[in-house]
Amino acid sequence: MTSLNVEKLSTRYQTSKGEIHALEDVSFSLNEGESIGIAGESACGKSTLGLSIIRMLIGGKTISGKINFNGESILDLSEQEFDKRYRWKKIAMVFQGAMNSLDPVFTIKEQFVEVLKQHRYEGSFEKVISDAINSVSLDENILKKYPHELSGGMKQRVIIAMALILKPKFVIADEPTTALDVLIQAQIVNLLKKLKKDGLSIMIITHDLAILSEIADKIGIMYGGQIVEFGSSYDVFKNPKHPYTQGLLASIPTLYGNKPTYIKGIPPSLLDPKPECRFIARCPLAMEKCKKDPPNFKTDSGYVKCWLLEDKE
């Protein structure tokens, strides 16, 4: 059963300089219990994609496309209806910089209670808070503590527990391991694996491709507001087809002595972008045809937005 289907999603931000094309024709699907990794450079649209799905864009607006969750179009719902039926109940999000999201003057338990009151939870507060804390392998003694008394990894787990407290079916985790040391990163990755085994669908937004190789069933590589390559984790890592994906993977140090390379140039401006391949200025394989925006060419497990695939479809 498909839990999430995104079709040709486009999102804009209005600025003093004009309209920023933050997302452009983004499409992918995710089945129940699957995980998807979204990777790419900063400002490529990863966080905007997550915020568009949970409808918490500040200063932004989804102008076209569809987001279907279990067969229902959630973009057609009013803000009140979406908040009542979906936000945090079926779709939740762990925001970027989540460790800084806790209020320093309230205990952890008081902040859990505030979440439940905000969403008008009618069951036992004690039980649901206890279940949420146990789900992320934390001791209930931390409920009496203040955020400054917790380590970075513990605070990150608390934020994940808050996202899980109303038992959503789908969680968006935006940079869940940023600013954590490698041991705590491993703990968070193992936690996400556990949640996935329990049937939770997860979207992981990150710069760290190594994390995605461990947990993601599917991967979407974003560049310039578009998904330029989408497919199974195995296909994307073992046989990357888009030059940008190849460049990202080549930039990762290995144990075999291969010298990492980097992608020359800078990402394109998303302020009124040209109708061409957005990677054209940095692509070592660019050709005349790349001056036209390429369509999505099908692959065995997804698609690639590159003219090099035209004759291989």
Side-chain angles (χ1 to χ4, degrees):
M1 179 180 181
T2 299
S3 63
L4 181 69
N5 188 49
V6 177
E7 296 182 19
K8 294 186 176 300
L9 185 68
S10 295
T11 297
R12 305 282 188 268
Y13 289 102
Q14 195 65 44
T15 71
S16 59
K17 295 183 178 180
E19 202 171 51
I20 301 294
H21 294 231
L23 291 181
E24 192 76 44
D25 289 340
V26 169
S27 299
F28 67 91
S29 62
L30 186 67
N31 295 324
E32 188 174 353
E34 284 186 330
S35 58
I36 181 174
I38 302 294
E41 294 173 83
S42 295
C44 69
K46 303 187 301 297
S47 295
T48 294
L49 175 57
L51 292 170
S52 296
I53 293 171
I54 201 169
R55 290 180 53 172
M56 294 186 71
L57 291 165
I58 298 176
K61 183 178 181 181
T62 297
I63 63 163
S64 63
K66 297 179 180 179
I67 304 175
N68 290 332
F69 189 81
N70 286 342
E72 182 173 20
S73 176
I74 60 178
L75 290 182
D76 293 334
L77 300 175
S78 67
E79 172 62 21
Q80 293 77 11
E81 187 69 11
F82 182 79
D83 190 58
K84 180 181 178 181
R85 294 176 50 203
Y86 277 91
R87 192 177 290 126
W88 254 251
K89 285 90 170 174
K90 295 181 181 179
I91 303 174
M93 186 167 184
V94 178
F95 296 101
Q96 190 171 0
M99 288 187 297
N100 301 319
S101 300
L102 296 171
D103 194 315
V105 301
F106 294 101
T107 65
I108 301 302
K109 182 175 182 179
E110 287 172 328
Q111 297 186 57
F112 271 103
V113 169
E114 179 64 25
V115 172
L116 294 173
K117 287 181 177 178
Q118 180 68 29
H119 292 280
R120 298 178 178 85
Y121 183 73
E122 296 179 352
S124 168
F125 281 19
E126 296 289 336
K127 185 179 187 308
V128 74
I129 293 173
S130 175
D131 289 346
I133 285 294
N134 291 333
S135 73
V136 296
S137 303
L138 285 174
D139 192 289
E140 292 184 34
N141 288 331
I142 72 156
L143 293 172
K144 303 173 184 177
K145 296 184 178 182
Y146 290 86
H148 72 273
E149 298 179 275
L150 307 182
S151 68
M154 293 170 76
K155 285 189 281 189
Q156 186 70 293
R157 285 173 182 248
V158 167
I159 291 297
I160 293 174
M162 286 185 176
L164 298 175
I165 196 166
L166 297 180
K167 296 180 171 51
K169 298 296 184 184
F170 176 58
V171 170
I172 303 162
D174 192 354
E175 300 285 1
T177 60
T178 296
L180 300 176
D181 63 61
V182 290
L183 293 177
I184 303 302
Q185 282 187 16
Q187 292 178 14
I188 298 300
V189 169
N190 288 335
L191 169 61
L192 294 174
K193 287 180 179 178
K194 174 183 175 294
L195 296 173
K196 180 185 165 188
K197 285 183 179 179
D198 292 340
L200 190 70
S201 299
I202 306 173
M203 174 188 284
I204 306 162
I205 298 170
T206 184
H207 293 93
D208 194 336
L209 291 171
I211 288 175
L212 297 187
S213 69
E214 288 193 53
I215 193 171
D217 299 307
K218 299 177 178 179
I219 291 180
I221 301 295
M222 291 197 70
Y223 185 81
Q226 301 174 330
I227 289 184
V228 295
E229 182 159 0
F230 175 75
S232 70
S233 178
Y234 180 87
D235 285 349
V236 171
F237 279 105
K238 292 296 183 182
N239 187 24
K241 295 178 174 60
H242 196 284
Y244 177 63
T245 309
Q246 295 168 1
L248 283 183
L249 294 174
S251 70
I252 301 174
T254 71
L255 296 175
Y256 309 107
N258 297 337
K259 185 178 180 180
T261 60
Y262 68 96
I263 302 173
K264 297 180 180 180
I266 60 175
S269 169
L270 298 183
L271 186 65
D272 193 24
K274 297 178 181 178
E276 62 185 10
C277 173
R278 295 189 180 177
F279 192 56
I280 185 172
R282 306 172 73 187
C283 182
L285 303 175
M287 50 190 174
E288 186 66 24
K289 184 172 284 188
C290 298
K291 293 181 180 179
K292 287 178 57 180
D293 189 33
N296 295 334
F297 294 103
K298 290 183 179 180
T299 61
D300 290 341
S301 61
Y303 64 84
V304 176
K305 191 177 179 62
C306 179
W307 286 111
L308 294 172
L309 275 290
E310 184 178 24
D311 298 327
K312 301 178 183 179
E313 190 174 23

